[in-house]
Protein backbone atom coordinates (compact mmCIF):
# COMPACT_ATOMS: atom_id res chain seq x y z
CA UNK A 1 0.00 0.00 0.00
CA UNK A 2 1.40 3.38 -0.94
CA UNK A 3 0.07 6.88 -1.47
CA UNK A 4 -0.38 8.04 -5.06
CA UNK A 5 1.93 10.87 -6.12
CA UNK A 6 -0.87 12.57 -8.01
CA UNK A 7 -4.61 12.76 -7.48
CA UNK A 8 -7.32 13.69 -9.94
CA UNK A 9 -10.12 15.65 -8.33
CA UNK A 10 -13.63 15.42 -9.76
CA UNK A 11 -15.47 18.60 -8.81
CA UNK A 12 -19.12 17.69 -8.20
CA UNK A 13 -20.34 20.93 -6.59
CA UNK A 14 -22.37 22.19 -9.57
CA UNK A 15 -24.27 18.87 -9.63
CA UNK A 16 -24.18 17.08 -6.27
CA UNK A 17 -24.05 20.41 -4.46
CA UNK A 18 -26.69 22.38 -6.25
CA UNK A 19 -29.10 19.45 -6.69
CA UNK A 20 -29.72 19.70 -2.98
CA UNK A 21 -30.16 23.45 -2.59
CA UNK A 22 -33.64 24.55 -1.61
CA UNK A 23 -33.17 28.02 -3.07
CA UNK A 24 -33.31 28.33 -6.82
CA UNK A 25 -29.94 28.97 -8.39
CA UNK A 26 -30.28 30.45 -11.86
CA UNK A 27 -28.65 28.87 -14.90
CA UNK A 28 -26.51 32.01 -15.25
CA UNK A 29 -25.16 31.63 -11.71
CA UNK A 30 -24.46 27.95 -12.35
CA UNK A 31 -22.57 28.96 -15.48
CA UNK A 32 -20.51 31.48 -13.49
CA UNK A 33 -19.73 28.79 -10.93
CA UNK A 34 -18.58 26.31 -13.59
CA UNK A 35 -16.55 29.00 -15.36
CA UNK A 36 -14.81 29.95 -12.13
CA UNK A 37 -14.08 26.29 -11.37
CA UNK A 38 -12.62 25.99 -14.87
CA UNK A 39 -9.94 28.51 -13.85
CA UNK A 40 -8.80 26.58 -10.76
CA UNK A 41 -6.80 23.87 -12.51
CA UNK A 42 -9.50 21.22 -12.01
CA UNK A 43 -9.61 18.86 -14.98
CA UNK A 44 -12.99 17.23 -14.31
CA UNK A 45 -16.18 19.11 -13.50
CA UNK A 46 -19.61 17.49 -13.08
CA UNK A 47 -21.69 20.37 -14.34
CA UNK A 48 -25.22 18.98 -14.31
CA UNK A 49 -27.67 16.14 -14.38
CA UNK A 50 -30.16 14.97 -17.01
CA UNK A 51 -32.76 13.49 -14.70
CA UNK A 52 -36.50 13.97 -14.37
CA UNK A 53 -37.25 17.63 -13.52
CA UNK A 54 -40.13 16.35 -11.38
CA UNK A 55 -37.67 14.42 -9.24
CA UNK A 56 -34.87 16.98 -9.08
CA UNK A 57 -36.13 20.40 -10.24
CA UNK A 58 -32.78 21.99 -9.31
CA UNK A 59 -31.15 20.28 -12.30
CA UNK A 60 -33.89 21.02 -14.85
CA UNK A 61 -31.76 23.63 -16.63
CA UNK A 62 -28.63 21.51 -17.14
CA UNK A 63 -29.04 21.76 -20.92
CA UNK A 64 -28.91 25.56 -20.71
CA UNK A 65 -25.92 25.41 -18.38
CA UNK A 66 -23.95 23.22 -20.80
CA UNK A 67 -24.90 25.50 -23.67
CA UNK A 68 -23.60 28.62 -21.93
CA UNK A 69 -20.41 27.54 -20.13
CA UNK A 70 -17.06 28.59 -21.59
CA UNK A 71 -15.31 25.31 -22.13
CA UNK A 72 -11.64 24.80 -21.54
CA UNK A 73 -10.57 22.05 -23.97
CA UNK A 74 -8.44 20.23 -21.38
CA UNK A 75 -11.40 19.91 -18.97
CA UNK A 76 -13.95 17.08 -19.05
CA UNK A 77 -17.43 18.47 -18.34
CA UNK A 78 -19.71 15.62 -17.26
CA UNK A 79 -23.32 14.97 -16.27
CA UNK A 80 -25.52 12.27 -14.75
CA UNK A 81 -27.69 10.24 -17.11
CA UNK A 82 -29.96 7.64 -15.46
CA UNK A 83 -31.60 6.41 -18.66
CA UNK A 84 -31.76 6.84 -22.44
CA UNK A 85 -33.83 10.00 -22.20
CA UNK A 86 -31.10 11.52 -20.02
CA UNK A 87 -28.33 10.36 -22.32
CA UNK A 88 -30.05 11.77 -25.39
CA UNK A 89 -30.38 15.16 -23.69
CA UNK A 90 -26.75 14.99 -22.54
CA UNK A 91 -25.53 14.19 -26.05
CA UNK A 92 -27.58 17.06 -27.40
CA UNK A 93 -25.91 19.33 -24.83
CA UNK A 94 -22.45 18.15 -25.89
CA UNK A 95 -21.25 16.65 -22.60
CA UNK A 96 -17.74 15.18 -22.59
CA UNK A 97 -18.55 12.37 -20.17
CA UNK A 98 -21.67 10.86 -18.62
CA UNK A 99 -22.34 8.92 -15.44
CA UNK A 100 -24.86 6.23 -14.62
CA UNK A 101 -25.71 5.87 -10.96
CA UNK A 102 -26.62 2.68 -9.18
CA UNK A 103 -26.63 1.65 -5.56
CA UNK A 104 -25.56 -1.17 -3.30
CA UNK A 105 -28.86 -0.87 -1.40
CA UNK A 106 -32.20 -2.03 -2.84
CA UNK A 107 -34.22 0.50 -0.84
CA UNK A 108 -32.04 3.41 -1.89
CA UNK A 109 -32.22 2.31 -5.53
CA UNK A 110 -36.03 2.35 -5.32
CA UNK A 111 -36.16 5.77 -3.65
CA UNK A 112 -33.52 7.37 -5.85
CA UNK A 113 -34.26 6.02 -9.31
CA UNK A 114 -37.55 4.20 -8.80
CA UNK A 115 -36.36 0.70 -9.66
CA UNK A 116 -34.48 -2.30 -8.27
CA UNK A 117 -30.71 -2.67 -8.56
CA UNK A 118 -31.14 -5.35 -11.25
CA UNK A 119 -33.57 -3.19 -13.22
CA UNK A 120 -31.23 -0.19 -12.97
CA UNK A 121 -28.35 -2.20 -14.40
CA UNK A 122 -30.64 -3.32 -17.21
CA UNK A 123 -31.56 0.34 -17.92
CA UNK A 124 -27.89 1.34 -17.95
CA UNK A 125 -27.01 -1.21 -20.66
CA UNK A 126 -28.25 0.79 -23.67
CA UNK A 127 -27.00 4.03 -22.09
CA UNK A 128 -23.46 2.67 -21.88
CA UNK A 129 -23.73 1.12 -25.36
CA UNK A 130 -24.83 4.34 -27.06
CA UNK A 131 -22.36 6.51 -25.14
CA UNK A 132 -19.56 4.21 -26.24
CA UNK A 133 -20.53 4.44 -29.89
CA UNK A 134 -20.25 8.25 -29.49
CA UNK A 135 -16.87 7.95 -27.75
CA UNK A 136 -18.29 9.37 -24.55
CA UNK A 137 -16.72 7.76 -21.47
CA UNK A 138 -19.16 6.48 -18.85
CA UNK A 139 -18.53 6.67 -15.14
CA UNK A 140 -20.43 4.36 -12.81
CA UNK A 141 -21.50 5.51 -9.36
CA UNK A 142 -22.35 3.10 -6.57
CA UNK A 143 -24.27 4.74 -3.74
CA UNK A 144 -24.58 3.70 -0.09
CA UNK A 145 -21.19 2.00 -0.01
CA UNK A 146 -20.83 2.48 3.74
CA UNK A 147 -24.44 2.71 4.83
CA UNK A 148 -27.96 3.35 3.60
CA UNK A 149 -30.47 5.85 4.99
CA UNK A 150 -33.19 3.16 4.77
CA UNK A 151 -31.37 -0.14 5.41
CA UNK A 152 -28.48 0.86 7.65
CA UNK A 153 -25.43 -1.33 7.18
CA UNK A 154 -24.46 -2.40 3.67
CA UNK A 155 -22.08 -5.29 3.11
CA UNK A 156 -18.86 -4.60 1.21
CA UNK A 157 -19.62 -7.62 -0.96
CA UNK A 158 -22.87 -6.00 -2.17
CA UNK A 159 -20.80 -2.96 -3.17
CA UNK A 160 -18.19 -5.14 -4.86
CA UNK A 161 -20.89 -6.94 -6.88
CA UNK A 162 -22.44 -3.78 -8.30
CA UNK A 163 -19.02 -2.20 -8.88
CA UNK A 164 -17.73 -5.21 -10.81
CA UNK A 165 -20.92 -5.45 -12.85
CA UNK A 166 -20.77 -1.77 -13.84
CA UNK A 167 -17.12 -2.14 -14.81
CA UNK A 168 -17.86 -5.26 -16.87
CA UNK A 169 -20.72 -3.41 -18.57
CA UNK A 170 -18.29 -0.79 -19.85
CA UNK A 171 -17.92 1.91 -17.23
CA UNK A 172 -14.33 3.10 -17.21
CA UNK A 173 -14.37 4.22 -13.59
CA UNK A 174 -16.32 3.32 -10.47
CA UNK A 175 -17.04 6.03 -7.93
CA UNK A 176 -17.80 4.68 -4.47
CA UNK A 177 -20.38 6.92 -2.84
CA UNK A 178 -20.63 7.23 0.92
CA UNK A 179 -23.95 8.94 0.29
CA UNK A 180 -24.80 9.64 3.92
CA UNK A 181 -21.27 10.05 5.21
CA UNK A 182 -21.54 7.43 7.95
CA UNK A 183 -18.29 5.69 7.00
CA UNK A 184 -15.24 5.62 9.25
CA UNK A 185 -11.63 4.67 8.48
CA UNK A 186 -12.44 1.17 9.76
CA UNK A 187 -15.41 0.87 7.42
CA UNK A 188 -13.36 2.33 4.56
CA UNK A 189 -10.75 -0.40 5.09
CA UNK A 190 -13.36 -3.16 5.16
CA UNK A 191 -14.91 -1.71 2.01
CA UNK A 192 -11.69 -1.40 0.04
CA UNK A 193 -10.33 -4.77 1.24
CA UNK A 194 -13.34 -6.36 -0.47
CA UNK A 195 -14.00 -4.09 -3.46
CA UNK A 196 -10.37 -3.99 -4.60
CA UNK A 197 -10.41 -7.80 -4.88
CA UNK A 198 -12.88 -7.32 -7.72
CA UNK A 199 -11.95 -4.07 -9.45
CA UNK A 200 -8.53 -2.43 -9.93
CA UNK A 201 -7.63 0.50 -7.72
CA UNK A 202 -6.73 2.46 -10.86
CA UNK A 203 -10.43 2.67 -11.84
CA UNK A 204 -11.70 3.38 -8.33
CA UNK A 205 -12.81 6.81 -7.13
CA UNK A 206 -13.82 7.92 -3.64
CA UNK A 207 -17.00 10.01 -3.34
CA UNK A 208 -17.40 10.78 0.33
CA UNK A 209 -19.99 13.00 1.97
CA UNK A 210 -18.97 14.67 5.20
CA UNK A 211 -22.14 14.30 7.27
CA UNK A 212 -20.32 12.81 10.25
CA UNK A 213 -17.09 14.75 9.75
CA UNK A 214 -15.26 11.61 8.62
CA UNK A 215 -14.72 12.33 4.94
CA UNK A 216 -11.12 13.55 5.11
CA UNK A 217 -9.90 10.76 7.33
CA UNK A 218 -11.73 8.25 5.15
CA UNK A 219 -10.05 9.76 2.10
CA UNK A 220 -6.68 9.48 3.81
CA UNK A 221 -7.45 5.79 4.28
CA UNK A 222 -8.45 5.42 0.63
CA UNK A 223 -5.25 7.20 -0.43
CA UNK A 224 -3.27 4.64 1.57
CA UNK A 225 -4.85 1.98 -0.64
CA UNK A 226 -3.70 3.90 -3.71
CA UNK A 227 -7.06 5.43 -4.69
CA UNK A 228 -6.09 8.39 -6.88
CA UNK A 229 -9.44 9.87 -7.91
CA UNK A 230 -11.38 11.92 -5.38
CA UNK A 231 -14.79 13.55 -5.77
CA UNK A 232 -15.36 16.75 -3.84
CA UNK A 233 -17.43 19.92 -3.95
CA UNK A 234 -16.24 23.49 -3.65
CA UNK A 235 -17.26 25.02 -0.34
CA UNK A 236 -18.56 21.62 0.80
CA UNK A 237 -21.74 21.98 -1.22
CA UNK A 238 -23.90 18.95 -1.58
CA UNK A 239 -26.19 16.23 -0.39
CA UNK A 240 -28.72 13.94 -1.95
CA UNK A 241 -32.43 14.69 -2.17
CA UNK A 242 -33.16 10.99 -1.56
CA UNK A 243 -30.94 10.68 1.50
CA UNK A 244 -32.43 12.90 4.19
CA UNK A 245 -29.85 14.54 6.41
CA UNK A 246 -26.96 13.77 4.07
CA UNK A 247 -24.78 16.84 4.14
CA UNK A 248 -22.35 18.05 1.57
CA UNK A 249 -19.54 16.32 -0.21
CA UNK A 250 -16.14 16.75 1.32
CA UNK A 251 -15.00 20.29 0.44
CA UNK A 252 -12.56 20.62 -2.46
CA UNK A 253 -10.60 23.23 -0.47
CA UNK A 254 -10.13 20.74 2.40
CA UNK A 255 -9.02 17.98 0.03
CA UNK A 256 -6.55 20.24 -1.79
CA UNK A 257 -5.12 21.50 1.53
CA UNK A 258 -4.63 17.94 2.78
CA UNK A 259 -3.08 16.77 -0.51
CA UNK A 260 -0.74 19.79 -0.59
CA UNK A 261 0.39 18.95 2.93
CA UNK A 262 1.06 15.36 1.89
CA UNK A 263 3.06 16.38 -1.16
CA UNK A 264 0.44 14.86 -3.48
CA UNK A 265 -0.22 17.03 -6.51
CA UNK A 266 -3.73 17.79 -7.75
CA UNK A 267 -2.97 20.73 -10.02
CA UNK A 268 -5.59 22.84 -8.24
CA UNK A 269 -4.81 26.43 -7.32
CA UNK A 270 -6.00 27.25 -3.81
CA UNK A 271 -6.41 30.99 -4.45
CA UNK A 272 -8.69 30.44 -7.44
CA UNK A 273 -10.61 27.86 -5.45
CA UNK A 274 -11.07 30.32 -2.58
CA UNK A 275 -12.36 32.93 -5.02
CA UNK A 276 -14.93 30.36 -6.17
CA UNK A 277 -15.78 29.58 -2.56
CA UNK A 278 -16.46 33.27 -1.97
CA UNK A 279 -18.72 33.33 -5.00
CA UNK A 280 -20.69 30.37 -3.57
CA UNK A 281 -20.88 32.13 -0.21
CA UNK A 282 -22.44 35.22 -1.79
CA UNK A 283 -24.69 33.16 -4.03
CA UNK A 284 -26.17 31.12 -1.21
CA UNK A 285 -25.75 33.78 1.43
CA UNK A 286 -24.01 31.55 3.94
CA UNK A 287 -20.45 30.93 5.10
CA UNK A 288 -18.49 28.10 3.48
CA UNK A 289 -18.86 24.67 5.06
CA UNK A 290 -15.17 24.15 4.30
CA UNK A 291 -12.99 24.66 7.37
CA UNK A 292 -10.01 25.43 5.15
CA UNK A 293 -11.94 28.11 3.25
CA UNK A 294 -13.18 29.63 6.53
CA UNK A 295 -9.67 29.69 7.96
CA UNK A 296 -7.94 31.04 4.87
CA UNK A 297 -10.62 33.63 4.22
CA UNK A 298 -10.40 34.73 7.83
CA UNK A 299 -14.01 33.96 8.72
P1 LIG B 1 -39.57 7.19 -13.32
O1 LIG B 1 -40.74 8.03 -12.86
O2 LIG B 1 -39.52 5.76 -12.87
O3 LIG B 1 -39.35 7.26 -14.89
O4 LIG B 1 -38.23 7.89 -12.86
P2 LIG B 1 -40.26 7.12 -16.12
O5 LIG B 1 -39.39 6.61 -17.22
O6 LIG B 1 -41.52 6.38 -15.78
O7 LIG B 1 -40.63 8.64 -16.48
C1 LIG B 1 -41.46 9.43 -15.66
C2 LIG B 1 -41.45 10.86 -16.16
O8 LIG B 1 -40.12 11.40 -16.07
C3 LIG B 1 -41.82 11.00 -17.64
O9 LIG B 1 -42.40 12.29 -17.80
C4 LIG B 1 -40.48 10.98 -18.33
O10 LIG B 1 -40.51 11.61 -19.58
C5 LIG B 1 -39.64 11.77 -17.36
P3 LIG B 1 -44.01 12.48 -17.83
O11 LIG B 1 -44.47 11.60 -18.94
O12 LIG B 1 -44.51 12.03 -16.48
O13 LIG B 1 -44.16 13.95 -18.07
N1 LIG B 1 -38.22 11.41 -17.45
C6 LIG B 1 -37.22 12.29 -17.66
N2 LIG B 1 -37.20 13.61 -17.86
C7 LIG B 1 -36.00 14.19 -18.06
N3 LIG B 1 -34.85 13.52 -18.07
C8 LIG B 1 -34.82 12.19 -17.88
C9 LIG B 1 -36.05 11.52 -17.66
N4 LIG B 1 -36.36 10.24 -17.44
C10 LIG B 1 -37.69 10.18 -17.31
N5 LIG B 1 -33.65 11.53 -17.88
C11 LIG B 1 -35.91 8.43 -13.09
C12 LIG B 1 -36.98 7.32 -13.12
C13 LIG B 1 -34.56 7.77 -13.05
C14 LIG B 1 -36.06 9.27 -14.33
C15 LIG B 1 -36.16 9.30 -11.83
O14 LIG B 1 -36.25 8.45 -10.73
C16 LIG B 1 -35.09 10.32 -11.62
O15 LIG B 1 -34.94 11.26 -12.37
N6 LIG B 1 -34.31 10.16 -10.54
C17 LIG B 1 -33.18 11.04 -10.30
C18 LIG B 1 -32.74 10.96 -8.91
C19 LIG B 1 -31.52 11.81 -8.72
O16 LIG B 1 -31.14 12.61 -9.57
N7 LIG B 1 -30.89 11.66 -7.53
C20 LIG B 1 -29.74 12.39 -7.21
C21 LIG B 1 -28.52 11.96 -7.97
S1 LIG B 1 -27.79 10.47 -7.32
C22 LIG B 1 -26.74 11.02 -6.03
O17 LIG B 1 -26.80 12.16 -5.67
C23 LIG B 1 -25.74 10.05 -5.47
C24 LIG B 1 -24.31 10.32 -5.97
O18 LIG B 1 -23.90 11.64 -5.67
C25 LIG B 1 -23.34 9.31 -5.34
C26 LIG B 1 -23.48 9.26 -3.82
O19 LIG B 1 -23.35 10.27 -3.14
O20 LIG B 1 -23.73 8.13 -3.35
C27 LIG B 1 -24.23 10.13 -7.50
MG1 LIG C 1 -23.12 12.27 -3.78
Amino acid sequence: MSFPSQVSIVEVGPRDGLQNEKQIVSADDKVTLVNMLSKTGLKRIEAGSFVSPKWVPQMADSGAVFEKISRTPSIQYSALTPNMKGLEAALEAGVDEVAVFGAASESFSQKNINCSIAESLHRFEPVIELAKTRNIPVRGYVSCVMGCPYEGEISPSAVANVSKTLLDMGCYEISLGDTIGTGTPGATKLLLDEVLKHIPVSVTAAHFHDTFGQALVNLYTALEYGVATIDSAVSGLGGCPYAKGASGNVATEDVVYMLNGMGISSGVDMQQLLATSQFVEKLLNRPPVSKVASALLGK
Side-chain angles (χ1 to χ4, degrees), residues 76-242:
Q76 295 279 109
Y77 297 93
S78 62
L80 299 192
T81 53
N83 52 22
M84 287 302 277
K85 184 161 183 159
L87 177 65
E88 278 151 19
L91 290 173
E92 177 85 26
V95 300
D96 299 314
E97 176 179 322
V98 296
V100 293
F101 48 107
S105 151
E106 280 297 348
S107 315
F108 186 79
S109 182
Q110 287 291 350
K111 299 272 186 195
N112 194 40
I113 50 175
N114 205 24
C115 64
S116 67
I117 297 172
E119 174 62 23
S120 74
L121 295 170
H122 183 62
R123 282 187 198 174
F124 299 155
E125 265 170 31
V127 175
I128 297 170
E129 287 288 302
L130 179 59
K132 283 186 113 178
T133 65
R134 303 291 177 87
N135 287 322
I136 303 287
V138 185
R139 170 177 240 221
Y141 277 105
V142 182
S143 280
C144 299
V145 300
M146 290 196 272
C148 166
Y150 311 104
E151 291 181 17
E153 238 171 80
I154 295 295
S155 77
S157 63
V159 180
N161 277 341
V162 181
S163 301
K164 172 85 169 75
T165 306
L166 285 171
L167 193 64
D168 290 345
M169 284 168 66
C171 292
Y172 82 101
E173 181 173 81
I174 304 299
S175 181
L176 301 173
D178 184 10
T179 319
I180 52 170
T182 48
T184 60
T188 305
K189 280 187 179 168
L190 289 175
L191 173 74
L192 293 176
D193 281 340
E194 182 60 27
V195 171
L196 297 182
K197 280 185 209 152
H198 302 271
I199 65 170
V201 69
S202 56
V203 304
T204 304
H207 177 107
F208 296 164
H209 286 257
D210 201 29
T211 321
F212 286 75
Q214 305 289 300
L216 270 187
V217 74
N218 293 344
L219 283 177
Y220 184 92
T221 308
L223 286 165
E224 276 188 309
Y225 279 75
V227 172
T229 303
I230 292 176
D231 300 0
S232 61
V234 64
S235 189
L237 283 170
C240 175
Y242 298 98

Side-chain angles (χ1 to χ4, degrees), residues 2-7 222-229 259 262-265:
S2 63
F3 290 118
S5 57
Q6 222 174 318
V7 156
L223 286 165
E224 276 188 309
Y225 279 75
V227 172
T229 303
L259 294 175
M262 294 171 72
I264 299 175
S265 82

Side-chain angles (χ1 to χ4, degrees), residues 9 11 208-210 215-216 219 230-237 248-258 273 277 288-293:
I9 296 182
E11 169 61 47
F208 296 164
H209 286 257
D210 201 29
L216 270 187
L219 283 177
I230 292 176
D231 300 0
S232 61
V234 64
S235 189
L237 283 170
N249 295 86
V250 65
T252 308
E253 300 91 312
D254 296 10
V255 173
V256 169
Y257 183 84
M258 180 176 81
L273 201 53
S277 206
V289 177
S290 160
K291 290 215 165 197
V292 167

Side-chain angles (χ1 to χ4, degrees), residues 51-69:
V51 298
S52 162
K54 285 185 193 138
W55 285 63
V56 186
Q58 291 92 332
M59 291 289 112
D61 55 6
S62 286
V65 172
F66 270 90
E67 197 179 305
K68 290 184 179 168
I69 52 174

